[in-house]
Amino acid sequence: MNTTQLFNQPTITFKRTVLMSMMAMSLGGISLSTQAQTSAQSNQQEIEQLRQEVQALRALVEQQQRQTAVVTAHVAATPAPASKPVMKIASGAEFNLYGNIRADASYQAEGGSAARMYNQINAVPLEGVGERSDEFKSTLAATRLGMDFKAPVGAGDKALSGKVEVDFLGGASFDNLRIRHAYISYANWLIGQTWSNFAVPDYIPETVDALVYAGGSIKRTPQVRYTSTISPETNLVFAVEDPKDATITGIKQRLPALTARLNHKFADNLTVSARAMGNEKRVNEDEKMAWGVGLGAKYDIVPGTTLKADYYHVKGDSSFVSYANTGVITAANGDLLQSEFDSISVGLTQQFNDKLRGTLGYGYMNFDEDQAYINAVTDKTKANKDLWQAWANVFYSPTKPLSFGLEYVYGEREALAAATPNGSTTGEDNRINAVAIYNF
């Protein structure tokens, strides 16, 4: 080895060491660069995935907003539940018109008379004596028109309100215009004609027949009424009423009837009403005191199932409860004799859905067999020992204004005396009723 070689040996070694270090650093840098690049690519993929998820979420939100807008537009375009249109006049009074067009039809299988289509259980012909069986009848006489009104009175928020309502069931043939309701009310007072305070319809089971069945009453009287609110659940109502009683021969009405009614709500599903009535009957300058009590109840057994019941005991009156014998008659010696009876109606209504409901009902009246009264009756075939009726119906309302009803009713009356020549004491009411109603 020469001097030059000896001298260059460390230099070569140094260079080789440096070169190897640089290669190592380069490889390390390459490795770091590769790792960084791999990490960057991974981060880029995650960012891209996140961007896609954000875009998908944004699209979902926009879709929900579009659907909400469509639903909102539909709700805005859908009419609100139908309410009575209110009309106002310059004085500040407001009123609304309402009513219905009602078509009734009936097929009388047994019983019935020529003059009347609606219920007549107290006067159906006795078997074999003038029956009008196997007969179809129809009418629109129960069509109804009404107006509610309200007007401000004096200072404050008190208002005078009232109602006028008519139908076409007046007269013996049931085809004349008549007043159903005509009254004004202010604060706790009511003056005019409306439902009697004694014979209220609230507890009568529903019927297709426009009139009530045996055991019930739909009496409307001219009256002055005062309502006292004892608590949110209880009120007491007093009234003086005109007890028109055309069935009593020679009657002279000197005083109005006095009636009282106590209403109480025991729970959200139970309401009761206790009533009392007193009324002087004056015939040929003689007088007798008529009186009566009543008790009604409405009980929602479960949601959609309602039980109604109404009971009366009345003596000496035939004006308040339908189908009663003549309340007062005159004996041969001039004495006034009074009829006395008990009656009850009970029914169960089931609401199957928002369009369909049905009712099963039963009504019964039993008259006290006072022999003096019976002897004084001129035509005993036209007065009764008892009456009863049972019925079943369904109502279907495809839309709110329209309602269709179908009903079967069967009942009998037992007269005080037998008809001649066949000796029958029983009159029969066997029929099918149908109704179509358009409310406005």
Side-chain angles (χ1 to χ4, degrees), residues 243-260:
K244 293 183 177 70
D245 205 335
T247 65
I248 300 177
T249 303
I251 188 169
K252 297 178 181 179
Q253 202 64 51
R254 182 169 62 174
L255 297 172
L258 301 178
T259 63

Side-chain angles (χ1 to χ4, degrees), residues 20-152:
M20 292 179 65
S21 298
M22 291 178 63
M23 290 177 64
M25 291 176 63
S26 177
L27 290 174
I30 292 172
S31 176
L32 290 174
S33 176
T34 301
Q35 292 179 358
Q37 184 176 0
T38 301
S39 177
Q41 290 176 352
S42 177
N43 290 340
Q44 187 66 27
Q45 290 176 354
E46 292 177 358
I47 292 171
E48 184 64 26
Q49 183 178 358
L50 182 60
R51 183 181 293 113
Q52 292 174 358
E53 291 175 354
V54 170
Q55 290 176 349
L57 181 60
R58 181 182 298 171
L60 180 61
V61 170
E62 290 175 352
Q63 181 181 2
Q64 291 292 102
Q65 289 175 341
R66 286 193 299 270
Q67 291 176 351
T68 302
V70 170
V71 171
T72 303
H74 174 72
V75 171
T78 302
S83 60
K84 302 297 182 183
V86 176
M87 292 166 279
K88 297 185 178 182
I89 57 179
S91 65
E94 59 184 45
F95 62 94
N96 65 271
L97 301 176
Y98 67 91
N100 62 47
I101 298 173
R102 174 176 174 135
D104 286 282
S106 178
Y107 171 71
Q108 189 82 48
E110 296 288 342
S113 71
R116 297 184 58 178
M117 171 180 163
Y118 298 113
N119 192 37
Q120 50 188 307
I121 185 60
N122 64 315
V124 292
L126 298 181
E127 186 178 354
V129 184
E131 296 166 295
R132 295 182 64 92
S133 302
D134 195 24
E135 185 173 6
F136 173 80
K137 301 175 184 178
S138 66
T139 184
L140 279 84
T143 293
R144 189 178 306 170
L145 298 172
M147 179 184 71
D148 291 319
F149 62 88
K150 182 170 62 175

Side-chain angles (χ1 to χ4, degrees), residues 420-439:
T420 55
N422 61 1
S424 173
T425 61
T426 301
E428 184 179 355
D429 181 29
N430 184 2
R431 59 194 160 99
I432 297 174
N433 300 321
V435 66
I437 303 173
Y438 175 78
N439 294 295

Side-chain angles (χ1 to χ4, degrees), residues 340-361:
E340 190 168 4
F341 67 89
D342 293 277
S343 71
I344 188 169
S345 62
V346 61
L348 186 70
T349 297
Q350 177 64 51
Q351 188 77 42
F352 299 104
N353 53 51
D354 59 346
K355 296 181 179 181
L356 184 66
R357 67 183 184 277
T359 295
L360 295 174

Side-chain angles (χ1 to χ4, degrees), residues 270-352:
L270 176 60
T271 303
V272 299
S273 173
R275 289 102 64 184
M277 174 273 296
N279 176 27
E280 181 193 69
K281 300 295 185 182
R282 186 175 178 85
V283 181
N284 300 327
E285 308 309 322
D286 296 321
E287 61 274 341
K288 280 283 189 178
M289 193 67 187
W291 61 273
V293 294
L295 181 65
K298 178 183 177 183
Y299 177 54
D300 294 327
I301 302 172
V302 295
T305 304
T306 301
L307 177 67
K308 289 184 177 182
D310 208 14
Y311 167 78
Y312 291 100
H313 179 88
V314 176
K315 182 174 183 178
D317 182 86
S318 46
S319 65
F320 283 100
V321 180
S322 304
Y323 314 121
N325 290 337
T326 301
V328 176
I329 59 177
T330 305
N333 62 1
D335 291 343
L336 297 184
L337 304 172
Q338 295 176 294
S339 171
E340 190 168 4
F341 67 89
D342 293 277
S343 71
I344 188 169
S345 62
V346 61
L348 186 70
T349 297
Q350 177 64 51
Q351 188 77 42
F352 299 104

